[in-house]
Amino acid sequence: MSRMPRKSILLVEDDPEIRALLGDFLGREGFAMELAEGGEEMDRALKRGLPDLVILDLMLPDEDGLSICRRLRARSTVPILFLTAKSDDTDRIVGLELGADDYIAKPFNPRELLARIRAVLRRTGRPSADSEPRRRFTFASLIVDLDARLVETVAGAKVPLTSAEFDLLACFIERPRRVLSRDQLIDWTRGRSAEPWDRTIDVAVSRLRRKLEAADAGAAELLTTVRNGGYLFAADVREA
């Protein structure tokens, strides 16, 4: 019986000790690792092939992680997980605004990092050809394929969502016309490891609204804020 191919991770970290330790640890956990010290090495690695996940340190000597994240998102939807030594929520929010999928603050337990990596890869993984029939839904003039993780207009134009934005939309698609609290959305999209005061979900909702509006002016109005409650997706969701 053939073995499943290993998931590949590109780790961009300037600290040689952390880079070596994480490379060895994640390699022993079954990942195909590629290591880069900064933006230039990362670019060379990407020319050889796109990984399944990029782990990106926020503080790098040649180019900061936010700038690199912006460049990556301009050309790819590859999942990005930030490593940051900063505790300021501003950096985390900016990273998520730019399209990062998750973050973890230094110092961290490698096992927690591993759990976050696996969670991101589960959320962004594509189904196999012999998997169950796809779950496709439609609302307004948009079609959402939950298994293929695709959103497009009825005319066939793709709506470019990051994996974090898609996870959020999936929560609303599966629970239309219900008020969903911030805590519920954080739990369903990021897991229990998120801080209880984490406000990044509001940033993600705002970003999702903008992209829905760009695709269909009426779609964004369906996602409303409920005072002291959370969010309500008031769409008429139907199977496609």
Side-chain angles (χ1 to χ4, degrees):
M1 183 175 64
S2 61
R3 298 180 61 183
M4 292 293 291
R6 294 195 297 168
K7 294 289 186 179
S8 59
I9 294 177
L10 173 56
L11 170 63
V12 188
E13 165 65 64
D14 65 312
D15 186 308
E17 184 176 356
I18 294 177
R19 191 168 63 246
L21 288 173
L22 285 182
D24 181 63
F25 170 72
L26 295 175
R28 285 186 280 107
E29 291 295 330
F31 295 100
M33 298 299 300
E34 181 128 24
L35 310 180
E37 184 178 359
E40 290 186 7
E41 286 192 6
M42 180 200 74
D43 289 336
R44 289 195 292 270
L46 291 175
K47 288 180 180 179
R48 295 190 289 270
L50 195 65
D52 293 298
L53 174 73
V54 174
I55 301 177
L56 183 59
D57 189 19
L58 192 64
M59 302 295 292
L60 295 168
D62 58 347
E63 182 181 5
D64 69 87
L66 294 177
S67 175
I68 291 176
C69 181
R70 186 181 294 109
R71 289 202 292 112
L72 283 173
R73 274 294 164 263
R75 66 189 193 190
S76 170
T77 58
V78 61
I80 300 172
L81 191 154
F82 264 131
L83 300 180
T84 173
K86 296 185 176 182
S87 58
D88 189 350
D89 281 345
T90 301
D91 295 292
R92 301 179 184 183
I93 290 173
V94 171
L96 294 175
E97 278 277 15
L98 292 175
D101 298 278
D102 202 354
Y103 60 82
I104 187 169
K106 299 176 182 177
F108 54 82
N109 186 316
R111 287 289 169 186
E112 181 184 358
L113 174 63
L114 178 63
R116 287 179 179 268
I117 289 170
R118 287 173 172 164
V120 170
L121 290 174
R122 279 197 303 271
R123 296 198 302 265
T124 58
R126 298 294 179 97
S128 61
D130 58 352
S131 60
E132 294 181 357
R134 288 179 176 176
R135 297 169 297 158
R136 288 167 53 89
F137 299 91
T138 181
F139 70 94
S141 66
L142 302 178
I143 299 172
V144 181
D145 189 325
L146 293 183
D147 294 313
R149 298 181 67 84
L150 293 175
V151 183
E152 60 184 7
T153 68
V154 291
K158 297 291 191 297
V159 180
L161 300 184
T162 66
S163 62
E165 293 160 0
F166 188 92
D167 292 339
L168 189 58
L169 178 60
C171 287
F172 291 123
I173 289 290
E174 293 175 331
R175 303 167 183 85
R177 302 182 185 277
R178 286 173 49 188
V179 176
L180 305 180
S181 70
R182 290 177 176 84
D183 287 343
Q184 286 176 315
L185 292 170
I186 290 172
D187 185 28
W188 290 328
T189 60
R190 294 195 51 230
R192 291 291 184 182
S193 57
E195 295 88 345
W197 57 86
D198 194 333
R199 307 297 290 182
T200 55
I201 201 70
D202 301 307
V203 175
V205 169
S206 176
R207 196 171 61 228
L208 177 61
R209 274 200 189 110
R210 290 198 299 269
K211 291 190 176 181
L212 291 179
E213 183 175 18
D216 181 334
E221 298 177 1
L222 298 171
L223 182 51
T224 60
T225 303
V226 179
R227 185 180 179 87
N228 298 323
Y231 295 99
L232 172 68
F233 189 55
D236 179 17
V237 178
R238 305 180 304 277
E239 291 189 2

